[in-house]
Amino acid sequence: WQLPRGLALRLHLGYENRDFPIDAPIADRQDDLYTAGASADWPFSRNVKLSVGVDLQQRSSTRDLQDYDYGNVRVQIIGSL
């Protein structure tokens, strides 16, 4: 078995710390944001490309009800002239 010619694979990982200082009697908010994803592009003809990918994101916050997990799966057929 062999990978198709022209196949492009990509991976990404990320981390971000966000600080939201507040000049009020409530506590400051700080978030940790983690991201990861993978995608593949395959040009199966001269003018048409198939692209598939998955993206994941997780936010952890010091404030209640600000945490979340997010996932996205995509399949695209891209044409050009």
Side-chain angles (χ1 to χ4, degrees):
W1 188 77
Q2 160 178 1
L3 292 175
R5 183 180 178 144
L7 180 68
L9 302 173
R10 287 185 290 288
L11 296 172
H12 70 270
L13 297 171
Y15 169 78
E16 184 178 348
N17 178 267
R18 297 178 180 172
D19 191 17
F20 303 92
I22 300 172
D23 294 327
I26 61 173
D28 292 347
R29 176 177 147 195
Q30 191 171 37
D31 295 350
D32 291 319
L33 187 63
Y34 302 92
T35 58
S39 64
D41 293 338
W42 177 50
F44 61 88
S45 77
R46 196 177 100 198
N47 297 327
V48 180
K49 174 174 73 172
L50 174 66
S51 180
V52 296
V54 61
D55 295 301
L56 304 170
Q57 189 176 78
Q58 180 183 48
R59 181 170 73 187
S60 177
S61 180
T62 57
R63 300 279 304 272
D64 291 337
L65 304 176
Q66 297 297 320
D67 296 340
Y68 69 83
D69 295 323
Y70 168 81
N72 181 43
V73 176
R74 69 183 184 302
V75 176
Q76 298 173 297
I77 298 177
I78 304 166
S80 63
L81 299 175

